[in-house]
Amino acid sequence: MPKLAIASDHAGYALKEYLKPLLEKLGWQYDDFGPHSSEPVDYPDYGFPVAEEVARGKYDRGILICGTGIGMACVANKVRGVRAALCTSPELAELSRRHNDTNVLTMGGRTTPFELAERIVRVWLNTSFEGGRHKRRVDKITSYEKSCIRRKP
Ligand code: RB5
C-alpha cells in the first residue's frame, strides 16, 4: 500500500479532516502530521516535517493544506527532492503528476471548495508520471539541487 503524509495549519485543518477518509478509500495508507485542532499554528512547523519525510522516502507522497496553499508550497519546495504544486483544479493536479512528477500537493483550505479539493486529490493520487521528455526536465531540477550542495553560499 503506498504511503502518504498529510498536514495542515489551522486554516487547512477542516479540509485535512474532510479529506482523510478519501485517502483510505483510494488505497493510501496515511499518517496525519497534525495539527489536531484548529487552534492557530504556523504552517512551516507542519509543512517541513512532511516535506522532509517525503524527500527521504519514508512516504511516497505528501499533501499540505494552509489557507491558500501558497505558504505550504513555499515551504515544501525549499526541501531538496520535493516537487510541490499548488493545485486549484483537477487539470493542474493531473498535469503536475504527468509532467512534473510532483510528490507534494498543496491546497488552500480557505480558497478551494471541499468537493473540488476531493476531485483534485483523487486525480493527483491516481495519475502517473509520463517520463520521456518530462523526465529529462525533472532530472535537470534534481541536478540543480545536487549542484547546490557543492556550491558555497
Ligand atoms: C493563516 O492565516 C494563513 O496565512 C496561512 O494559512 C496560509 O494561507 C499562508 O500561506
Side-chain angles (χ1 to χ4, degrees):
M1 212 182 210
K3 290 187 72 183
L4 182 138
I6 188 167
S8 71
D9 68 357
H10 53 288
Y13 174 75
L15 179 55
K16 171 168 71 70
E17 295 305 305
Y18 175 87
L19 290 172
K20 275 159 51 173
L22 174 72
L23 303 175
E24 271 174 354
K25 233 192 287 172
L26 293 176
W28 286 73
Q29 185 196 326
Y30 73 85
D31 284 323
D32 181 354
F33 281 58
H36 301 292
S37 81
S38 55
E39 285 301 302
V41 293
D42 297 333
Y43 59 83
D45 296 339
Y46 291 85
F48 280 124
V50 164
E52 286 185 354
E53 293 288 25
V54 170
R56 78 183 181 93
K58 190 166 176 214
Y59 294 88
D60 302 287
R61 308 268 194 93
I63 295 180
L64 293 172
I65 307 164
C66 57
T68 58
I70 295 171
M72 284 298 201
C74 293
V75 163
N77 278 315
K78 291 287 177 207
V79 177
R80 192 180 300 129
V82 167
R83 288 176 302 282
L86 164 57
C87 294
T88 53
S89 69
E91 186 190 8
L92 289 180
E94 184 184 337
L95 286 171
S96 87
R97 285 290 310 138
R98 281 173 49 194
H99 290 190
N100 313 107
D101 198 17
T102 49
N103 48 13
V104 171
L105 166 68
T106 80
M107 287 185 296
R110 287 176 176 159
T111 52
T112 305
F114 286 14
E115 280 172 20
L116 175 60
E118 191 171 331
R119 290 199 285 128
I120 290 170
V121 167
R122 200 180 280 278
V123 167
W124 189 73
L125 289 179
N126 285 332
T127 304
S128 300
F129 181 46
E130 259 178 37
R133 68 186 187 282
H134 301 295
K135 178 169 184 326
R136 184 180 73 237
R137 294 159 186 166
V138 169
D139 284 348
K140 289 187 179 187
I141 300 175
T142 307
S143 306
Y144 175 80
E145 288 177 324
K146 286 186 180 148
S147 78
C148 289
I149 304 173
R150 292 192 296 270
R151 200 179 305 149
K152 291 206 175 103

